[in-house]
């Protein structure tokens, strides 16, 4: 077709201009609503929040491991302290503490445990016993998996523990970083409670050929509270790296996690543990990290480095290893997650790319169609042009025949052009649908009968054609959805459908016209709820884990009716060790779950149940009318447990046994931990005097 010279007064020119404006306007409008509606910014925030949540979950897991396993030395320190006698030689002391020291090593699931005496030094070093377990996950009951690094060879021979290739009789601290020894000792005069003086060392090596380790150590006092040395555990960097899987953040080429350290507030965080070789591209041990804030809400930072291409993002979470008013509280350890921008914001980049391509495609296709169709008209038809201008841009137009052949042909051409342009305006939603983005847009005016929707809207709202064409019906559906907001979420609503679905709906009203953007958030919300379940639920029993139990009990303790009766119970399974030793740990799990099943079945709407440790459980019952009513529930629990015996593999039939302590909640203010400690004392009274039942009383 020969290109015609534009004539600003011709109908062809004017119609072409109008058509192009409509196409560009609709494409721009749709893009504007997507951007102004916060789709891109929200997607970016969601990416940051998801990244931060993953790092926080990993931090919580590592923090629990460090606090409740590696730092849990208290049950053994007293046993070891009582064995010390100033009149006896150190070797005799090491012999007496070998069993509790090995038990401490096993219980803490660390890679080493040690005791170093402070007043036994000579030219060869300090008297010490240091036992190492290179693989804490696999335990050998005859101790053949352990190695003696320092200590008497006779003791190792007696325990049938092989000597490590770096074995020495005494421990020479001059060849290593001795902070793990010196710092706890230097603070020993501040308190006789050793657990308040615990110190986490920075990574160091016992010898030049040894692998890097970190240690947790504290002063060791004898039974007369006299300082005799230090006690502690080690965790090798290799074992520590197993708790920081890089695939948490990125399946391929992941930077993973590193540990950071801050000597005091205001100083730069420096990297101290690199768990992957790829991390050496962006960080060096002992060197400060350079970064700037990117998202303060989620503690997301952008790494500043001239040696890497592209942006690297950091999520920094404090591990909080030291308590308040302890000697080393100024020092902070951090878990730092590292991820590439191309992976973190891949979804955001995809949306931007689709918007640009869709807008460009709509404009190009619209211009081509408008030019080649509109320029077929050569005669000015003012009435038809006026009618076209009055036609809504969201509905197909129908032009009646005038009876004139030439004009009718012109009308049919105009009609076809307008409908083609309408189809072109929908190409953006088609492209978005093809790419797989669950997003829809709708618009309706106060004085218009029609509702403009993109193709995804009926699918997202599960509507048929009649419901989308009827304006009042469509508005009713939207209002019903808006009446079901998701708790603690902004602009996200829950659809109680099969399968269940969550939608993000953003509405804007201007000049009597309402425009809405609908985004399917089902995958993100399902993942978030699954993360919350994994965080709060004990995997073996299906009840609250220790952290979730603590939070929910503290909340219930504050909200309970103080005029009604409440109590906290601590339960401890009896004979679990015998079941494990006789039938194996699988039956031990069955034994635990059998007891938990009966705990769960204790009736009542006001209760919180959680697993405090291996075979210990806590139950908070509140808002009951009387103590007799509450006692009746507990008596019924013990009776049902007794009437529901287990049949063991050797055909022995016996019920699960459990002892409990119950403390009444009175009007005095005590913390949850104080109530739990009181219940714990009553529980141990029951185990001593009324095993298989419970003891009760008031706190303090």
């Amino acid at each position: 077709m020969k290109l015609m010279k534009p004539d600003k007064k011709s109908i062809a020119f004017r119609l072409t201009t109008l058509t192009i404006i409509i196409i560009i306007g609709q494409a721009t409008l749709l893009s504007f609503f997507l951007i102004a509606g916060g789709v891109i910014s929200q997607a970016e925030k969601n990416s940051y929040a998801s990244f931060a949540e993953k790092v926080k979950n990993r931090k919580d897991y590592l923090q629990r491991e460090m606090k409740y396993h590696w730092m849990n030395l208290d049950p053994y320190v007293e046993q070891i302290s009582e064995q010390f006698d100033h009149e006896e030689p150190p070797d005799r002391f090491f012999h007496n503490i070998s069993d509790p020291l090995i038990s401490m090593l096993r219980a803490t699931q660390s890679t080493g445990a040690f005791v170093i005496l402070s007043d036994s030094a000579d030219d060869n070093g300090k008297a010490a016993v240091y036992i190492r377990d290179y693989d804490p996950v696999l335990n050998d009951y005859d101790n053949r998996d352990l190695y003696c690094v320092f200590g008497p060879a006779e003791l190792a021979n007696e325990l049938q523990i092989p000597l490590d290739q770096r074995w020495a009789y005494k421990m020479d601290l001059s060849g290593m970083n001795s902070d793990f020894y010196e710092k706890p000792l230097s603070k020993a005069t501040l308190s006789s409670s050793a657990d308040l003086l615990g110190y986490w060392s920075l990574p160091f090596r016992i010898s030049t050929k040894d692998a890097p380790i970190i240690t947790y150590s504290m002063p060791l006092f004898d039974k007369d509270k006299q300082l005799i040395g230090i006690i502690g555990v080690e965790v090798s960097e290799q074992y520590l790296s197993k708790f920081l899987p890089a695939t948490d953040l990125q399946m391929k080429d992941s930077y993973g996690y590193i540990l950071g350290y801050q000597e005091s507030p205001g100083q730069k965080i420096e990297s101290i543990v690199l768990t992957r070789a790829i991390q050496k591209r962006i960080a060096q041990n002992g060197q400060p990290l350079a970064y700037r804030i990117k998202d303060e809400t989620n503690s997301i930072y952008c790494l500043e480095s001239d040696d890497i291409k592209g942006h690297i993002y950091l999520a920094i979470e404090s591990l909080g290893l030291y308590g308040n008013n302890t000697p080393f509280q100024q020092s902070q350890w951090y878990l730092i997650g590292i991820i590439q921008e191309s992976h973190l914001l891949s979804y955001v980049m995809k949306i931007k790319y689709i918007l640009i391509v869709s807008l460009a495609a709509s404009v190009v296709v619209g211009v081509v169609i408008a030019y080649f169709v509109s320029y077929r008209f050569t005669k000015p038809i003012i009435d038809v042009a006026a009618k076209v201008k009055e036609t809504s841009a969201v509905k197909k137009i129908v032009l009646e025949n005038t009876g004139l052949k030439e004009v009718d042909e012109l009308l049919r051409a105009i009609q076809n052009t307008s409908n083609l342009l309408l189809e072109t305006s929908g190409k953006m939603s088609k492209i978005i649908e093809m790419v797989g983005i669950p997003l829809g847009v709708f618009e309706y005016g106060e004085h218009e009968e029609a509702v403009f929707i993109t193709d995804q809207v009926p699918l997202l709202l599960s509507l048929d054609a009649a419901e989308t064409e009827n304006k009042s019906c469509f508005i009713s559906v939207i209002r019903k959805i808006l009446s079901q907001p998701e708790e603690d979420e902004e602009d996200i609503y829950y659809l109680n459908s099969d399968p269940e679905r969550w939608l993000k709906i953003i509405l804007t009203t201007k000049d009597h016209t309402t425009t809405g953007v609908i985004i399917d958030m089902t995958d993100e919300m399902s993942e978030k709820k699954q993360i919350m379940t994994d965080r709060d639920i004990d995997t073996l029993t299906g009840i609250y884990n220790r952290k979730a139990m603590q939070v929910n009990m503290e909340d219930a303790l504050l909200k309970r009716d103080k005029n009604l009766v409440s109590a906290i119970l601590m339960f401890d399974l009896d004979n679990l060790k015998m079941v494990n030793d006789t039938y194996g740990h699988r039956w031990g799990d069955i034994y635990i779950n059998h007891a938990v099943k009966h705990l769960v079945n204790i009736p009542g709407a006001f209760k919180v149940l959680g697993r405090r440790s291996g075979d210990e459980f806590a139950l908070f019952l509140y808002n009951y009318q009387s103590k007799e009513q509450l006692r009746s529930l507990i008596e019924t629990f013990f009776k049902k447990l007794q009437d529901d015996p287990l049949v063991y593999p050797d055909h022995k039939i016996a019920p699960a046994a459990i002892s409990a302590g119950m403390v009444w909640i009175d009007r005095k203010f005590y913390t949850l931990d104080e109530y739990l400690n009181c219940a714990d004392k009553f529980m141990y009274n029951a185990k001593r005097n009324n095993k298989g039942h419970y003891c009760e009383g008031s706190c303090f």
Side-chain angles (χ1 to χ4, degrees), residues 489-518:
E489 298 291 341
E490 184 178 0
D491 297 328
I492 296 181
Y493 304 90
Y494 174 72
L495 270 67
N496 188 15
S497 57
D498 187 18
E500 62 183 5
R501 179 181 293 176
W502 286 269
L503 299 178
K504 183 179 183 69
I505 301 179
I506 302 173
L507 296 178
T508 58
T509 301
K510 185 177 180 180
D511 297 332
H512 306 290
T513 299
T514 300
T515 303
V517 178
I518 305 175

Side-chain angles (χ1 to χ4, degrees), residues 234-252:
E234 73 155 49
V235 179
S236 68
E237 280 194 9
Q238 182 181 4
Y239 181 59
L240 178 63
S241 65
K242 295 180 181 180
F243 295 88
L244 304 173
T247 52
D248 258 9
L249 304 178
Q250 191 173 330
M251 292 303 296
K252 185 179 179 182

